Amino acid sequence: MKLRFIIAIVFFLLSTKTHAQKLTVEEKKLYKIIMSYRKKNKLPAIPLSKSLTLVAQTHANDLANNPPDAASGCNMHSWSSNGKWSSCCFTDNNPPSSCMFDKPRELTNYKGDGYEIAYSWSTGVDADKALQGWKTSSSHNAVIINQGPNWTKKWNAIGIGIFGNYAVAWFGYDIDK
C-alpha cells in the first residue's frame, strides 16, 4: 500500500514536470512583470501558453541567429529561411499575415491567430528592458494592456521568449488546450 502511494506520487511529479513550461529565469521574470503591469491596470492575468511559448522562444532564437534584413524593410516580425517554418519578410507597409498570425498554427497545435510584440537591445535583453521598451511604445503597450481598437478582446494565452538581444511575447485570444 505504501509502495503504491510512493509510486503514484513519483508518477504525478514526473508527469507534472513534463507538462511544465520550459522558461528560463529571465523569461519567467518577464511573464511575472507583464502580469504585474496588467494587474496595476486592473486587467486579469493571462495564462501562460505552452504553444505560444514555443513560438516565442523559437522566434527569439531565429532573430538572434538570423537578424532580419532591415535594408529590405524586414522588421522583427520576419522569419528567416533557416528553420522548419515558412520564411517571410514582415514590413510595416505590407505585412503578410502568415508572418505573424499563422505562425502558432504552423509551429504548434494552437488553433487561433498569434499576435507578437518584439524588442531588441544591442547589448542583450533582460525582462526589465523589454517591458520598459514595450511600455514606452504606444502600439506595443496597447497589446499588453488591451487598449485601442484592435486589442480590446480578452487575451487567453501568452508565450514568452528571450534569446540574445531579442525578447518576444506572443498573445492569443484562444485558450491553449
Side-chain angles (χ1 to χ4, degrees), residues 15 28 68 80 98 104 121 156 159:
S15 65
K28 288 177 188 175
S80 78
S98 61
W121 190 258
N156 287 303

Side-chain angles (χ1 to χ4, degrees), residues 13-177:
L13 292 173
L14 289 174
S15 65
T16 302
K17 186 174 181 179
T18 305
H19 298 305
Q21 296 297 323
K22 305 282 189 217
L23 296 176
T24 66
V25 170
E26 206 59 29
E27 289 167 338
K28 288 177 188 175
K29 180 178 180 183
L30 181 55
Y31 174 74
K32 184 178 177 181
I33 64 176
I34 288 173
M35 294 311 112
S36 176
Y37 179 55
R38 286 179 56 80
K39 185 176 182 180
K40 286 178 187 172
N41 283 277
K42 299 181 179 15
L43 294 166
I46 306 168
L48 192 58
S49 161
K50 187 175 183 178
S51 296
L52 294 182
T53 293
L54 174 70
V55 176
Q57 290 171 337
T58 302
H59 197 211
N61 191 303
D62 183 44
L63 288 167
N65 289 302
N66 308 289
D69 182 13
S72 298
C74 302
N75 65 28
M76 287 188 286
H77 301 302
S78 302
W79 289 73
S80 78
S81 60
N82 298 321
K84 294 181 179 183
W85 52 75
S86 57
S87 64
C88 57
C89 175
F90 195 99
T91 64
D92 293 334
N93 298 336
N94 190 23
S97 64
S98 61
C99 254
M100 186 185 303
F101 311 126
D102 298 347
K103 281 300 181 223
R105 286 187 297 278
E106 182 181 342
L107 298 173
T108 71
N109 291 325
Y110 189 75
K111 302 294 183 205
D113 287 348
Y115 305 92
E116 177 187 46
I117 57 175
Y119 180 80
S120 73
W121 190 258
S122 61
T123 58
V125 170
D126 63 32
D128 293 314
K129 281 182 193 172
L131 182 58
Q132 200 54 39
W134 290 329
K135 285 167 63 175
T136 60
S137 163
S138 60
S139 59
H140 292 93
N141 191 54
V143 174
I144 295 170
I145 60 171
N146 294 101
Q147 288 186 340
N150 298 322
W151 313 113
T152 56
K153 273 179 72 178
K154 178 184 173 194
W155 295 122
N156 287 303
I158 186 173
I160 304 291
I162 298 176
F163 193 83
N165 298 345
Y166 295 90
V168 297
W170 281 77
F171 296 81
Y173 294 124
D174 291 29
I175 295 169
D176 189 10
K177 297 178 181 177

